[in-house]
Amino acid sequence: MKSIVKNYSVLTLKNASRTELHDKLGLTSCEISINELPAGASVPFVHSHKQNEEIYIILQGSGMLFIDNEELKIKKDDVIFIKPNGKRCFCASKGGILKFVCIQAKINSLEQFTLNDGIINDIKPSWLK
Ligand code: ZN
């Protein structure tokens, strides 16, 4: 029997305080996590990375970011880029949850993107026919 290997994976997020997509979707170029801190809660440690930079996209709520001994207010729609050495910690404000996406990728690993990497194909979905 021939097995069919698809070129995609789909995951529906369940209510979890943290979901790491690398294992669930088979990602090979980055780790993406969806995170939710309850109102008033903090990540219980300050961390940095050996080789990965991180991009945090705040989806909901507000809170504080500790970064290299600075403390910054953060809120929905903020996008934060942190180099590997940045010593960071997040907490949610007392008024509600802080929900954010974290994308983690190896520093200087991006080689091509958008127009340099994209290929326009000649097949079409039903809505373009
Ligand atoms: Zn991290």
Side-chain angles (χ1 to χ4, degrees):
M1 196 159 115
K2 189 178 174 186
S3 67
I4 298 170
V5 178
K6 292 184 176 182
N7 287 322
Y8 67 91
S9 313
V10 176
L11 171 73
T12 300
L13 293 171
K14 298 196 165 72
N15 282 339
S17 61
R18 181 172 166 86
T19 305
E20 296 181 348
L21 300 183
H22 150 256
D23 274 343
K24 294 191 182 224
L25 293 176
L27 309 182
T28 66
S29 61
C30 62
E31 170 64 301
I32 301 174
S33 60
I34 316 295
N35 304 272
E36 207 172 285
L37 283 172
S42 175
V43 173
F45 50 82
V46 173
H47 82 283
S48 55
H49 281 267
K50 295 174 187 165
Q51 64 176 18
N52 291 344
E53 60 191 26
E54 287 184 320
I55 302 93
Y56 294 87
I57 304 168
I58 310 302
L59 301 177
Q60 183 182 339
S62 63
M64 297 293 290
L65 165 63
F66 171 93
I67 176 73
D68 294 339
N69 291 315
E70 281 186 69
E71 292 183 355
L72 308 176
K73 288 182 180 174
I74 55 168
K75 63 183 183 327
K76 181 182 182 296
D77 296 332
D78 286 349
V79 178
I80 303 144
F81 168 71
I82 302 179
K83 293 179 181 178
N85 285 340
K87 295 168 184 61
R88 72 211 73 173
C89 182
F90 286 86
C91 77
S93 66
K94 290 182 177 143
I97 65 163
L98 181 68
K99 186 172 186 175
F100 58 95
V101 173
C102 177
I103 301 166
Q104 188 182 124
K106 186 177 177 183
I107 194 166
N108 294 322
S109 63
L110 184 63
E111 294 180 349
Q112 298 187 104
F113 55 93
T114 316
L115 291 177
N116 289 331
D117 192 62
I119 301 165
I120 305 297
N121 293 276
D122 55 9
I123 61 172
K124 291 184 188 315
S126 62
W127 61 87
L128 288 180
K129 287 179 181 167

